[in-house]
Amino acid sequence: MIQPQMPETKNWRFHRDVEQLGWLTIDTPGPVNTLSREAIAELELLVERFEQLARSNELAGIILLSGKDSGFIAGADISEFDAMSDFSVLPDALRRTHALLARIEQLTIPVVAGIHGFCLGGGLELALACHYRVAVNDDKTRIGFPEVGLGIFPGFGGTGRSIRQVGPVDAMQIMLTGKMLRAGAARGLNLVDKLVRHRDMLRWEARKAVLQKRRSSEAPFHKRAMAMGPLRGYVANKMREQARKKARQEHYPAPFALIDLFERHGDDWQAMIAGEVDAFVPLMGSSAATNLRRVFFASEGLKKQGTKGVRFARVHVIGAGVMGGDIAAWCALRGMSVTLQDLDMERIKPALDRAKKLFRKRLKKKHEVDAAVMRLEADATGKGVGRADVIIEAVVEKLEVKQAIFGGLEDQLKPGAILATNTSSIELERIAEKLKQPERLIGLHFFNPVAQLPLVEVIRSSFNTDAEIGKGAAFALAIGKSPVVVKSAPGFLVNRVLMPYMLGAVERVERGESPELLDAAAVAFGMPMGPIELMDTVGLDVGKSVATELGHAVPEGSRFDRLVKDGKLGRKTGEGFYKWVDGKAQKGETPAHADLAGLGRELVKPLVDMTEVVVAEGVVANEQLADIGVIMGTGFAPFLGGPLKARQDGRV
Ligand code: COA
């Protein structure tokens, strides 16, 4: 078979087989496929050739596959976005890519995409320009538009094509939430046309699709009708309402710009694509998008920490309270075999019940839930210690108790096992000082609720070496958490910066200011929750003890002090600064305020000041780590890029 003359490409491979099928494989430099400017320019050359071959009947169809195990395509190349934000290059680049995808769609021969693993953003936009999509129906397939998380929306024609393909309501939902769909869900929405069980079946199914000239069908009329006539304005308003519940337009403009675009052109997919450019360009250069990209790369950077090649299979958690129980459940959810130790079964049972709820919520399929339940074992006698790769202590915050526990198990440990405490307030050196090998003890500080907060502070004591810390970070990554290494100093990073912010707000409440107003102001600034609601959520007893540990004694007779003494500890007891019903703070009217965000800035200032102190003291290695740590541990406004970036930009 004589191969046609093809352009030289670094990101694509092409060959034509005896059936005149063209096999196009994307394999870009790096661990995942991305659509860089170079990859797109090369695809332009290839498509030109495909057009010629199709005209001369030398090509029966094209099958687009990925040459990487990691997946299909993870989107446009985000590392080029800063340079691409330039108004002088971006509109042209977008129009050129629009034209390229339109040419693929207009090829007279069938073009079929075979998808495994990640198919995101620009990757999905390219797949949607193909005539038919086959995807592997396994756990790794993830299909979606994560762009809103980067402060933009799909810009390679994905807005219009997804609406055409799945209908306006579902398409907008996918784009507005950034949710990554599994194969079954994507098929259910008509985003893909056919599922196969294994990756090695993709080629065969895609080949059949080409030979049979299969073409995907568009969304049915009743779905498309939701974007027609006056209904579209109504639907757009509903979407705005939903979007406002999640984010403020002044902080995250992208979802709102997308809804505006839909309102203008949602009934005409081509007009929607054409309108993308003008709406997209200002977003790309916005400070929110720039900061969100910084956050993306900073969190990618966290994945590079940790000793490579260490395997963790068994975890032993001591203490089945809220933190210990939830840490054990999380580890079991993420595939570890876990033993959970406490004095007796009565104390362990509530943790097992909570774990089951978590498994049901996250895993859904019965056999997976059952397997996770099996992985989590109650262990009242501590028999799991000697087998564990990781031991995490999460008992009451009392030095003597912790010292006794670690002293008692040091001789039973497997060589190389991680020995960790989840203490949030006791200096590691003091817990470790009685150990024969004090260098073994590290801190793994999880945050409550464990299942929701991605951060784990890996605490380094003056005894530790890089070896223990590297392993600790590797373990955090192994259970899907993001590690930030922090020096053992009171409050570590997150509690240290949160306390002055929360106590500052509490003091204002003591002086008679409205908790509702303070909370609303912090949210208007960009915090996920106000400081008073946060104090109630954390628990006033916990807040008081961390405050005391950090040298901010709670004044006798203050409202805070009285609440603690009365057992009104916040959310968990049904009352703190607020009354709580069904896990919700019962707030009264928020008093009017002329500059809510300004007040929010004032409230957040102590947090930012303290982040500067923490970096200056070397508690975290650098500003970027402090920023990402505070974002992940407190939810601090990601669109501002973290407290220090916000200060640099004069935003606080
Ligand atoms: N552009 C540029 N680089 C990307 C990228 C993209 N779209 N997607 C992933 N990468 C890079 C990562 O930065 C990382 O680089 P590094 O090894 O130099 O740090 C590498 O690819 C591997 O990614 P990683 O996140 O470690 O792999 P993972 O398996 O944990 O996660 C993804 C894979 C695809 C889920 C994740 O990387 C991701 O969310 N990517 C962004 C997807 C996106 O937003 N696409 C839309 C862009 S418009």
Side-chain angles (χ1 to χ4, degrees), residues 297-312 315 330-331 333-336 390 392 418 442-446 453-458 468-485 625 628 632:
F297 283 115
S299 58
E300 288 295 310
L302 297 182
K303 296 185 194 167
K304 292 202 177 69
Q305 307 172 98
T307 315
K308 301 275 170 286
V310 198
R311 295 268 165 270
F312 306 96
V315 180
W330 180 260
C331 293
L333 177 81
R334 303 293 302 205
M336 306 278 156
V390 186
I392 305 171
I418 294 179
I442 62 166
L444 287 176
H445 186 214
F446 289 78
L453 289 173
L455 181 68
V456 170
E457 288 176 332
V458 179
E468 290 90 27
I469 296 304
K471 259 200 222 168
F475 172 67
L477 290 169
I479 54 167
K481 295 287 180 193
S482 299
V484 170
V485 178
L625 272 177
I628 191 73
M632 289 189 162

Side-chain angles (χ1 to χ4, degrees), residues 370-418:
D370 291 347
V373 169
M374 295 285 285
R375 286 196 294 271
L376 177 58
E377 198 187 327
D379 179 9
T381 56
K383 65 179 185 326
V385 171
R387 290 184 314 201
D389 304 308
V390 186
I391 292 160
I392 305 171
E393 166 276 317
V395 303
V396 50
E397 290 282 83
K398 289 213 168 94
L399 178 63
E400 321 75 70
V401 180
K402 290 185 194 280
Q403 282 179 338
I405 288 176
F406 285 114
L409 50 79
E410 203 180 4
D411 291 334
Q412 305 172 48
L413 300 180
K414 219 163 87 165
I418 294 179

Side-chain angles (χ1 to χ4, degrees), residues 168-181:
V169 173
D170 290 330
M172 288 295 285
Q173 180 76 3
I174 298 169
M175 291 186 278
L176 290 171
T177 57
K179 208 168 144 191
M180 299 188 194
L181 303 173

